[in-house]
Amino acid sequence: MSLKHGILGLLNYGPTTGYDLDKIFKGSLNFFWQSQTSQIYRELRAMEGQGWISAEIVVQQDKPNKNIFTLTASGKEELQRWLMHDSIGDDIKVRDPFLVKLFFSGEINAEANIETMQRFKQCCQYALKKINETKKHVEDAYDGDKNSVYWEMTASFGHYYYEMCILWADECIMKLERLK
Amino acid sequence: MSLKHGILGLLNYGPTTGYDLDKIFKGSLNFFWQSQTSQIYRELRAMEGQGWISAEIVVQQDKPNKNIFTLTASGKEELQRWLMHDSIGDDIKVRDPFLVKLFFSGEINAEANIETMQRFKQCCQYALKKINETKKHVEDAYDGDKNSVYWEMTASFGHYYYEMCILWADECIMKLERLK
DNA sequence: AATTATTATTGCATTTATACTATACAAGTG
DNA sequence: CACTTGTATAGTATAAATGCAATAATAATT
């Protein structure tokens, strides 16, 4: 249920093509929601059928034709409804395949698990760097925009999250070292 | 792709019925992976077809018959393969509908968002309490078991995670208060 | 008498993942 | 100049996974 609404939210900033939406998506929401390009196109068609957005075809000679999608009144309403609707019970979930795997890692040797945790840590360090850049960019470029506080909050989450992961990884590595 | 392997991991502790698996699942993996009861049964059948597990029917007169599932050699192999296989790139993802919604919450009034964040915080406090109980239980009851370190690590993650969320929520609430 | 526990299964809709199809232009390579 | 590779562009097809709802039937518990 989130992708459709994610797209509604993005289209609310202005009409766009599926292609551009995909890029915008990958550069923003992608930090906390993932989607294949193909799914974005399909959802766009579904949303069109639902009347939440309308498509305008722009014929191009040198490139494939564009479909420019615009939020309709009904789509705007749905966005509002979704935003207002309390769904914390449904939405607050950790769903993390890495932890699932770790849960069973007693089956394989501690050596290998230490290496895995080290790679995990490196990934988090990289992600932290990325999110901090984004955070800085939002703070500098959009300061004062009515949305910027919310963008900052999500970026902050990412910052704290990866920072926490790094500390946790260190603790795990220490525990595993002691096992040997 | 995780549920099948989560089930493999649980069955590795010993043969069980779908019904019990479901309960075990809800009491352990459920913190970082969710699944409907029906899907667990479905996956069991699929895994049986795949030769990863075998079923033994136990006829009962007073209750519905049981299917007791046992890990086969092939299933054990697959579990090992999955555990050894490096998938950090795929597995390290934040996928959080709450953050998606927050990202767009500039559309609605700060008042409402403050309330939402407060409820979010309460949920995290509750989850933190729960995970701490689990953590303590694992530390006390399974100390020394070859798996217990890993169970502790996942529980620790939960602990840090919800602690972090609570701090973050406080920061968000402060920011939103300043908006008014 | 009403609810909860036991032990499943089926059907349908939605969501996600994986792979594949095309075209045009730009830029680099031999 | 011919050839390959990259990238912007705009999708389609198919399969796998997941969620949600309903159904069955008996026993134990409140």
Side-chain angles (χ1 to χ4, degrees):
Chain A
M1 257 294 81
S2 237
L3 182 55
K4 275 192 181 62
H5 293 94
I7 293 173
L8 280 183
L10 292 181
L11 281 178
N12 190 39
Y13 297 137
T16 336
T17 65
Y19 184 76
D20 286 327
L21 247 179
D22 185 47
K23 283 193 296 182
I24 296 166
F25 189 93
K26 298 277 193 291
S28 56
L29 292 181
N30 207 230
F31 281 107
F32 31 86
W33 199 263
Q34 295 80 41
S35 173
Q36 303 303 119
T37 302
S38 58
Q39 203 189 338
I40 291 179
Y41 282 110
R42 242 176 313 132
E43 292 297 345
L44 281 168
R45 287 309 171 188
M47 291 162 69
E48 197 192 353
Q50 209 141 6
W52 292 350
I53 60 177
S54 63
E56 187 203 345
I57 299 173
V58 176
V59 179
Q60 300 186 124
Q61 322 89 315
D62 46 349
K63 295 170 195 172
N65 295 341
K66 284 183 179 190
N67 284 289
I68 298 179
F69 295 96
T70 308
L71 212 56
T72 62
S74 147
K76 185 116 189 174
E77 245 173 59
E78 174 58 24
L79 176 61
Q80 289 281 328
R81 196 204 57 73
W82 172 66
L83 288 171
M84 299 296 291
H85 178 71
D86 176 20
S87 54
I88 284 186
D90 309 327
D91 286 353
I92 179 181
K93 270 173 206 157
V94 179
R95 194 185 181 84
D96 190 331
F98 181 71
L99 292 174
V100 174
K101 199 178 272 193
L102 186 62
F103 188 84
F104 296 113
S105 290
E107 280 305 300
I108 61 175
N109 69 78
E111 268 325 317
N113 290 326
I114 290 173
E115 274 171 46
T116 301
M117 286 303 311
Q118 271 157 353
R119 248 167 321 133
F120 172 80
K121 186 183 163 185
Q122 276 163 22
C123 288
C124 290
Q125 282 167 332
Y126 179 75
L128 180 60
K129 216 184 98 204
K130 283 288 153 198
I131 199 90
N132 280 341
E133 283 166 19
T134 305
K135 193 164 173 273
K136 193 149 185 358
H137 180 248
V138 169
E139 282 165 6
D140 294 352
Y142 296 99
D143 188 42
D145 186 300
K146 80 170 170 177
N147 293 298
S148 73
V149 198
Y150 296 93
W151 295 346
E152 275 170 48
M153 292 193 304
T154 56
S156 264
F157 183 95
H159 171 84
Y160 291 137
Y161 178 76
Y162 288 118
E163 225 173 41
M164 178 278 281
C165 286
I166 290 165
L167 289 175
W168 173 74
D170 282 332
E171 193 187 276
C172 290
I173 291 166
M174 268 181 48
K175 275 188 192 165
L176 292 174
E177 295 283 5
R178 268 206 303 273
L179 268 192
K180 294 193 304 187
Chain B
M1 258 292 84
S2 239
L3 182 55
K4 274 192 182 61
H5 293 94
I7 293 174
L8 280 183
L10 292 180
L11 280 178
N12 189 40
Y13 298 138
T16 336
T17 63
Y19 183 76
D20 285 326
L21 248 179
D22 184 48
K23 282 194 295 182
I24 295 165
F25 187 94
K26 298 279 194 291
S28 55
L29 293 181
N30 208 230
F31 281 108
F32 31 85
W33 199 265
Q34 295 80 42
S35 173
Q36 302 303 118
T37 302
S38 60
Q39 205 190 336
I40 289 178
Y41 283 109
R42 253 178 303 168
E43 293 296 345
L44 282 168
R45 287 308 173 188
M47 291 161 70
E48 197 192 352
Q50 211 141 4
W52 292 350
I53 61 177
S54 63
E56 188 203 346
I57 298 172
V58 175
V59 179
Q60 300 187 126
Q61 322 89 317
D62 46 349
K63 294 171 195 172
N65 295 342
K66 284 182 180 190
N67 285 292
I68 299 180
F69 295 97
T70 308
L71 212 55
T72 63
S74 146
K76 186 115 187 174
E77 246 174 60
E78 173 59 22
L79 176 61
Q80 287 281 329
R81 197 204 56 72
W82 172 67
L83 288 171
M84 299 295 290
H85 178 71
D86 174 21
S87 54
I88 286 186
D90 309 328
D91 287 353
I92 178 181
K93 272 174 205 158
V94 179
R95 193 183 182 86
D96 190 332
F98 182 70
L99 292 174
V100 174
K101 200 179 271 193
L102 186 62
F103 188 83
F104 297 113
S105 289
E107 281 303 301
I108 62 176
N109 69 78
E111 266 328 314
N113 289 327
I114 289 173
E115 274 172 47
T116 301
M117 285 305 310
Q118 272 157 353
R119 249 164 323 133
F120 172 80
K121 186 183 163 185
Q122 276 164 21
C123 289
C124 290
Q125 282 167 332
Y126 179 75
L128 179 61
K129 216 184 98 206
K130 283 287 154 198
I131 199 89
N132 280 341
E133 284 166 19
T134 305
K135 192 163 172 276
K136 193 148 186 357
H137 181 248
V138 170
E139 283 164 6
D140 293 351
Y142 296 100
D143 188 43
D145 185 299
K146 78 170 171 176
N147 293 297
S148 73
V149 198
Y150 296 93
W151 296 345
E152 276 171 48
M153 294 193 304
T154 57
S156 265
F157 183 94
H159 171 84
Y160 291 138
Y161 179 76
Y162 289 118
E163 226 174 41
M164 179 280 280
C165 285
I166 291 165
L167 289 174
W168 172 73
D170 281 332
E171 193 188 276
C172 289
I173 291 166
M174 269 182 48
K175 274 187 192 166
L176 292 174
E177 295 282 5
R178 269 206 302 274
L179 267 192
K180 293 191 306 187

